[in-house]
Amino acid sequence: NYIKIFAPATVANVSCGFDSMGFAVDTIGDEMTFTKTVKKGVKITQITGANGLSSGPTKNVAGVVALAMLKQHPVDFGIEITMHKGYSPGSGLGSSAASSGGAAFGVNELLGKPFSTLELTKFAMLGEEAACGTPIADNVAAAIFGGFVLIRSYEPLDIVKLPVPDELQLVAIHPQIEVKTKDAREVLPENVPLKDAITQWANVGGLVSGLHTNDYQLIANSLTDVIVEPARKHLIPHFDLVKNEAIKAGALGAGISGSGPTIFALCKGKKSATNVYKAIQNAYSDKNIDFNLFTSKI
Ligand code: HSE
């Protein structure tokens, strides 16, 4: 009658895989509870950890997802949701996806698990659509499936779970400014030169292969984005500095996490992650922008 879950933060795109790759973060995320109620419908009774989120079930992404699930699978009870946001919306770490994906998972448990993981991802995408206007799957699929995922196809939806090499570590810096995904999508190019498209899809292939074969050099070579990062990086204060310092300190690669402003770096091993952490900290410490810096296993 009651379930408490951890809904992880997620890094989408992972440089070359715009809207088609993502991974879940171990150490940062939201806590959500789901309780059966006698009164039918969906009620969000508590939101802590973030300001300005509506608790109206049709306005909050968790409510949007829960209502859609109840519509497709009617039951004779209602669901009460609480959420504690572990990080702020507009961070580029899939905050809305944690709420949407968490809601899909939690509600499914109370309903007796009628839906498959793929179906849960589709419900969670409705939350993403409500949040930013586009039903993007990269963050929600990573939150629901865990680990590294590839959205091989949107129609029909096909999610491929990828292996995560043992030593892969994340270092991420979240400058405390907000970038709305909707705004970050408005700066995207409408057309892509064939040459850039070739570079991009070749790198996606390289990254997928590197993850499968534990080939850290191949992963490093493939963490390149010639399409989205150049169009968006001006939205993120000191992006080039952080990226360069991270790579100089030994990161395999670095890029924009989702639609930013968080910048992620992938590293091989904890020692390298510590070096990269320190280099980023140094680079940002005199910049008069508050930031949250963290490492995580993937
Ligand atoms: N792939 C999305 C973007 C992630 O970069 O706009 C945000 O959900």
Side-chain angles (χ1 to χ4, degrees):
N1 290 341
Y2 166 87
I3 179 172
K4 182 176 183 176
I5 64 156
F6 172 77
T10 45
V11 171
N13 302 341
V14 203
S15 294
C16 49
F18 179 70
D19 277 3
S20 59
M21 290 186 93
F23 62 80
V25 177
D26 249 19
T27 48
I28 291 197
D30 299 348
E31 269 181 10
M32 301 176 81
T33 68
F34 303 85
T35 311
K36 283 188 189 175
T37 56
V38 174
K39 193 166 181 277
K40 284 191 179 189
V42 174
K43 200 167 176 199
I44 299 170
T45 54
Q46 195 183 64
I47 303 174
T48 53
N51 297 323
L53 292 175
S54 168
S55 60
T58 56
K59 298 217 173 78
N60 185 294
V61 295
V64 169
V65 172
L67 286 169
M69 294 171 78
L70 288 175
K71 193 170 171 204
Q72 199 160 317
H73 188 90
V75 284
D76 60 0
F77 57 86
I79 293 179
E80 180 189 314
I81 302 174
T82 71
M83 54 179 98
H84 177 72
K85 305 292 295 174
Y87 60 107
S88 43
S91 59
L93 288 164
S95 176
S96 58
S99 300
S100 304
F105 183 88
V107 170
N108 194 46
E109 294 292 310
L110 289 195
L111 296 181
K113 299 194 198 182
F115 298 114
S116 70
T117 314
L118 190 68
E119 286 168 326
L120 295 185
T121 307
K122 286 185 196 167
F123 281 118
M125 286 165 70
L126 298 174
E128 292 294 76
E129 187 168 23
C132 79
T134 317
I136 315 164
D138 47 11
N139 290 103
V140 286
I144 291 173
F145 282 75
F148 229 112
V149 294
L150 170 75
I151 321 305
R152 195 212 43 90
S153 158
Y154 270 80
E155 283 177 27
L157 188 66
D158 184 15
I159 315 280
V160 180
K161 211 167 152 31
L162 301 170
V164 183
D166 273 354
E167 290 185 88
L168 208 55
Q169 296 275 334
L170 166 73
V171 182
I173 179 166
H174 172 199
Q176 305 289 296
I177 60 160
E178 188 181 345
V179 173
K180 289 201 163 68
T181 298
K182 199 168 183 298
D183 299 337
R185 293 180 84 81
E186 268 160 25
V187 303
L188 296 174
E190 274 185 24
N191 297 296
V192 174
L194 184 60
K195 192 167 163 281
D196 290 348
I198 293 167
T199 304
Q200 204 84 351
W201 60 56
N203 280 317
V204 170
L207 181 53
V208 169
S209 176
L211 293 171
H212 269 281
T213 55
N214 296 322
D215 186 337
Y216 292 92
Q217 188 56 53
L218 179 56
I219 293 171
N221 295 344
S222 308
L223 286 171
T224 300
D225 174 7
V226 295
I227 297 172
V228 177
E229 184 179 295
R232 277 183 172 170
K233 66 179 184 175
H234 69 278
L235 300 171
I236 299 162
H238 311 293
F239 174 78
D240 282 329
L241 174 73
V242 170
K243 180 173 171 168
N244 291 338
E245 290 298 314
I247 289 170
K248 243 192 335 189
L252 301 169
I256 305 171
S257 173
S259 53
T262 293
I263 304 166
F264 78 94
L266 289 181
C267 302
K268 182 189 177 189
K270 277 198 178 151
K271 204 165 154 235
S272 171
T274 306
N275 290 339
V276 170
Y277 180 101
K278 284 186 193 150
I280 296 178
Q281 191 174 39
N282 254 341
Y284 233 85
S285 57
D286 61 350
K287 295 290 180 283
N288 283 329
I289 302 172
D290 287 340
F291 61 88
N292 179 24
L293 183 61
F294 63 93
T295 60
S296 173
K297 170 120 192 51
I298 295 165

